[in-house]
């Protein structure tokens, strides 16, 4: 079931499926809630799954020129009258999940973070150079190609990527780069979550892909070392 949740900051589109214990899915920063299609269908057999389009991505809209993503997650929980959730989040979504957990620890049962980002991390030269190149690129087609090659194939044989997955990723990239509100200023309540990782007391599973950007492999290792109840799989 698709539903739109309205707040002062945004119109938030979510997909909700299943019943019982709630799992909240937060997508990566280059995609939208459609990346979780298989997971929604699988997990909803045993859980209530809520997949969120973060404002500025997918079908959600930012109302204004500033956005606080931690408050967006809180808005979703309040809408469904949820006191506690398990969060599964990827990349930029992982950064939001970490911040939410640090600010509202009582509302997070446990987390699974897939190649998460974290505020306070000092980017590698590889990532800095890529982001600089991306900032100088204005053509949507070129941006889609850059992002697909940097984040997805990473020098591997493109035939190793499922054709349907590739099509969906390209569609999500094209859509998000065509949006006008994805340049809104992000409000960070916590400037440096890296220094506060030791405060996380929830059970945490970190998943990294071995071919991922070096920053995300290093972040995964760092989180594992700092969070007491954590496991890491590469």
């Amino acid at each position: 079931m698709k539903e739109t949740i309205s707040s002062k900051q945004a119109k938030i589109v979510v997909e909700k499926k299943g019943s019982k214990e709630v799992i909240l899915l937060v997508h990566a920063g280059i995609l939208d809630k459609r990346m979780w299609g298989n997971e929604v269908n699988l997990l909803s057999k045993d859980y209530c799954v809520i997949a969120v389009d973060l404002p500025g991505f997918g079908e959600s809209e930012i109302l204004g020129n500033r956005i606080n993503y931690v408050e967006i997650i809180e808005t979703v929980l309040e809408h469904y009258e949820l006191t506690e959730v398990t969060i599964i989040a990827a990349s930029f979504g992982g950064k939001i999940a970490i911040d939410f957990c640090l600010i509202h620890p009582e509302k997070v049962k446990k987390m699974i973070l897939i190649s998460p980002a974290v505020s306070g991390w000092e980017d590698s030269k590889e990532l800095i150079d890529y982001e600089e190149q991306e900032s100088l690129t204005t053509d949507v087609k070129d941006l889609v190609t850059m992002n697909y090659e940097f984040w997805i194939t990473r020098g591997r044989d493109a035939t190793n990527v499922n054709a349907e997955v590739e099509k969906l990723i390209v569609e999500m990239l094209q859509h998000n780069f065509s949006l006008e509100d994805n340049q809104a200023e992000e409000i960070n309540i916590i400037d440096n979550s890296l220094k506060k990782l030791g405060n996380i007391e929830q059970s945490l599973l970190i998943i990294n892909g071995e071919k991922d950007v070096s920053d995300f492999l290093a972040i995964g290792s760092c989180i594992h070392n700092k969070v007491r109840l954590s496991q890491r799989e590469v």
Side-chain angles (χ1 to χ4, degrees), residues 2 18 25 50-51 64-65 95-96 132 164 166 183 192 200 231 233:
K2 187 184 292 186
L25 300 176
I50 301 173
N65 54 15
K95 170 186 173 293
I96 297 168
E132 181 178 351
E164 289 300 313
E166 178 181 0
Q183 299 300 317
N192 192 331
I200 295 176
Q231 292 178 270
E233 296 290 339

Side-chain angles (χ1 to χ4, degrees), residues 64-216:
N65 54 15
R66 305 179 77 200
I67 188 71
N68 181 330
Y69 286 112
V70 169
E71 288 186 3
I72 294 301
I73 300 302
E74 189 171 9
T75 297
V76 173
L77 267 62
E78 289 176 351
H79 176 80
Y80 291 111
E81 299 181 345
L82 301 171
T83 57
E84 186 182 59
V85 295
T86 292
I87 300 177
I88 302 178
S91 193
F92 174 66
K95 170 186 173 293
I96 297 168
I98 289 169
D99 288 354
F100 183 81
C101 184
L102 288 169
I103 295 168
H104 302 289
E106 75 285 356
K107 297 181 181 181
V108 179
K109 182 175 182 180
K110 52 191 173 184
M111 294 191 291
I112 299 174
L113 303 180
I114 304 163
S115 290
V118 64
S119 65
W121 182 260
E122 186 174 341
D123 291 345
S124 68
K125 185 178 185 302
E126 178 190 23
L127 196 51
I128 291 170
D129 288 347
Y130 169 76
E131 289 175 345
E132 181 178 351
Q133 182 184 4
E134 185 184 52
S135 70
L136 297 173
T137 305
T138 57
D139 183 79
V140 169
K141 184 177 179 180
D142 290 342
L143 284 167
V144 169
T145 300
M146 284 175 56
N147 274 264
Y148 188 80
E149 291 179 351
F150 186 79
W151 298 110
I152 308 300
T153 57
R154 296 196 54 73
R156 292 175 292 167
D157 184 348
T159 59
N160 289 333
V161 182
N162 178 282
E164 289 300 313
V165 172
E166 178 181 0
K167 180 182 177 182
L168 177 60
I169 291 171
V170 169
E171 285 179 0
M172 287 187 282
L173 285 167
Q174 288 173 334
H175 175 74
N176 286 335
F177 281 121
S178 68
L179 295 175
E180 295 181 358
D181 62 357
N182 60 5
Q183 299 300 317
E185 178 190 359
E186 181 188 354
I187 302 170
N188 290 308
I189 299 177
I190 304 176
D191 292 328
N192 192 331
S193 295
L194 192 66
K195 293 181 178 180
K196 300 178 182 293
L197 291 173
N199 294 335
I200 295 176
E201 293 293 334
Q202 289 79 356
S203 295
L204 169 61
L205 173 63
I206 305 145
I207 301 174
N208 284 117
E210 66 176 353
K211 301 292 186 181
D212 207 345
V213 178
S214 60
D215 295 68
F216 291 89

